[in-house]
């Protein structure tokens, strides 16, 4: 099929566009880029997917009749044996996981320190720069632990950074343009990790199986919501693992540029 068979939308950009329920038939998406998108419940039939890369939270992905997610998860565990530690089921397991997270994080920071600081503000292939990632991890811990588990209605530092898909909302920091020095960002992150350390060090089995109190005040997550405590601790660990992996991937690219 030639280019003349398609309506010309090459180079178009769709930002914060809600296309729920849309149908795409006989479309060419070669070399398209999807960032911070949601593809839940998508059905693809008769498609070609060659040389395609997908990173993100993926569950129940059926390819040619096979749920490939368990296969991917098993391969990731084989490549990264430490990853299993980040799925604890007991208070002792959560303490072990956070011990490991702190050690791995220190190794990643040591790697970043060897680069010129200006490179740590640079994006690699559209991903977050290293210092922005550090700010986001602080936000994730402040939200998951400070707000949800400890009940602080507004636990965020002004430099903490939510994910790109989150629209600005009252009381929640959202400064995308800030360029703090590495040490300032790391100090922010240390405060957040110390909060998580205090929680896991005192964690009991009864607490682990409890639910959080309804959230108070505007913010993210939303006011009035409540969560299983275990679920949010696991979410913090998952966020830590993946963002460190992304940072390591991008640091390798920056090292080649240096």
């Amino acid at each position: 099929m030639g280019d003349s068979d398609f309506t010309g939308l090459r180079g178009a950009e769709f930002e914060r566009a809600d296309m729920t329920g849309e149908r795409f038939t006989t479309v060419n998406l070669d070399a398209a880029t999807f960032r911070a998108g949601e593809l839940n419940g998508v059905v693809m039939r008769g498609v070609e997917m060659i040389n395609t890369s997908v990173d993100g939270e993926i569950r129940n992905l059926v390819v040619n009749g096979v749920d490939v997610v368990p296969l991917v998860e098993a391969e990731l565990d084989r490549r990264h044996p430490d990853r299993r530690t980040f799925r604890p089921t007991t208070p002792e397991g959560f303490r072990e996981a956070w011990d490991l997270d702190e050690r791995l994080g220190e190794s990643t920071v040591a790697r970043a320190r060897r680069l010129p600081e200006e490179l740590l503000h640079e994006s690699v292939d559209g991903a977050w720069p290293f210092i922005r990632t550090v700010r986001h991890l602080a936000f994730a811990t402040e939200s998951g632990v400070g707000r949800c588990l400890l009940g602080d209605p507004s636990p965020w530092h002004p430099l903490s950074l939510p994910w790109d898909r989150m629209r600005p909302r009252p009381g929640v920091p959202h400064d995308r343009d800030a360029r703090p020095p590495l040490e300032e960002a790391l100090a922010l992150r240390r405060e957040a990790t110390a909060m998580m350390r205090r929680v896991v060090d005192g964690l009991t089995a009864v607490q682990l199986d409890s639910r959080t109190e309804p959230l108070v005040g505007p913010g993210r997550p939303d006011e009035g919501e409540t969560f299983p405590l275990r679920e949010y601790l696991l979410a913090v660990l998952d966020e830590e693992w993946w963002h460190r992996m992304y940072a390591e991937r991008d640091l390798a690219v920056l090292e080649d540029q240096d």
Side-chain angles (χ1 to χ4, degrees), residues 93-115:
F94 276 94
R95 286 187 276 275
E96 180 184 358
W98 198 248
D99 288 344
L100 176 58
D101 180 74
E102 289 181 335
R103 293 197 300 272
L104 293 173
E106 288 172 0
S107 175
T108 301
V109 168
R111 185 176 181 180
R113 288 187 197 277
R114 292 193 287 268
L115 289 168

Side-chain angles (χ1 to χ4, degrees), residues 14 21 34 38-40 95 110 133 152 187 199 211 225-226 246:
F14 303 91
F34 296 85
E38 296 182 9
L39 297 171
N40 302 317
R95 286 187 276 275
T133 296
D152 185 344
V199 168
R211 292 186 69 88
E225 290 192 68
T226 180
Y246 299 149

Side-chain angles (χ1 to χ4, degrees), residues 82-99:
D82 285 339
R83 188 170 177 265
R84 298 181 181 91
T85 306
F86 280 68
R87 298 192 295 269
T89 58
T90 65
E92 293 75 18
F94 276 94
R95 286 187 276 275
E96 180 184 358
W98 198 248
D99 288 344

Side-chain angles (χ1 to χ4, degrees), residues 8-248:
L9 289 174
R10 286 194 175 199
E13 293 190 12
F14 303 91
E15 185 172 350
R16 296 198 180 276
D18 186 350
M19 294 186 176
T20 302
E22 295 281 5
R23 286 181 173 269
F24 301 89
T25 305
T26 317
V27 296
N28 186 340
L29 293 173
D30 289 351
T33 300
F34 296 85
R35 293 197 185 280
E38 296 182 9
L39 297 171
N40 302 317
V42 171
V43 176
M44 301 182 183
R45 298 283 186 264
V47 299
E48 292 183 11
M49 296 186 72
I50 301 169
N51 298 327
T52 299
S53 176
V54 180
D55 290 307
E57 182 180 357
I58 303 170
R59 289 177 286 176
N60 303 323
L61 175 61
V62 178
V63 178
N64 291 336
V66 178
D67 184 354
V68 300
V69 172
L71 308 179
V72 173
E73 292 293 306
E75 176 60 15
L76 287 171
D77 285 349
R78 186 190 69 79
R79 294 184 184 185
H80 310 287
D82 285 339
R83 188 170 177 265
R84 298 181 181 91
T85 306
F86 280 68
R87 298 192 295 269
T89 58
T90 65
E92 293 75 18
F94 276 94
R95 286 187 276 275
E96 180 184 358
W98 198 248
D99 288 344
L100 176 58
D101 180 74
E102 289 181 335
R103 293 197 300 272
L104 293 173
E106 288 172 0
S107 175
T108 301
V109 168
R111 185 176 181 180
R113 288 187 197 277
R114 292 193 287 268
L115 289 168
E117 187 159 308
E118 60 267 22
L119 287 181
L120 303 181
H121 287 289
E122 287 192 12
S123 170
V124 175
D125 193 28
W128 277 2
F130 182 80
I131 290 178
R132 187 175 287 189
T133 296
V134 171
R135 295 169 58 203
H136 173 68
L137 284 174
F139 176 87
T141 305
E142 290 163 343
S143 297
V145 179
R147 180 166 167 81
C148 293
L149 306 188
L150 300 180
D152 185 344
S154 183
W156 306 284
H157 186 280
L159 283 174
S160 301
L161 191 65
W163 51 94
D164 284 337
R165 280 182 292 177
M166 182 176 146
R167 293 181 181 275
R169 57 176 63 190
V172 181
H174 205 275
D175 190 349
R176 294 266 183 262
D177 299 323
R179 290 172 62 89
L182 174 62
E183 292 307 318
E184 187 175 355
L186 290 175
L188 165 64
R189 172 151 168 71
R190 282 193 294 270
E191 290 182 11
T193 57
M195 186 191 314
M196 179 70 164
R197 167 57 65 190
R198 291 192 295 271
V199 168
V200 298
D201 279 352
L203 189 63
T204 67
V206 172
Q207 289 173 324
L208 192 55
D209 290 329
S210 67
R211 292 186 69 88
T212 64
E213 294 295 323
L215 297 179
V216 177
R220 180 65 185 179
D222 293 321
E223 185 171 13
E225 290 192 68
T226 180
F227 305 92
L229 187 144
R230 180 191 304 271
E231 176 184 304
Y232 247 84
L233 288 177
L234 287 170
V236 170
L237 287 174
D238 189 64
E239 194 89 357
E240 289 279 326
W241 173 268
W242 280 112
H243 280 289
R244 187 186 61 81
M245 294 297 291
Y246 299 149
E248 292 276 350

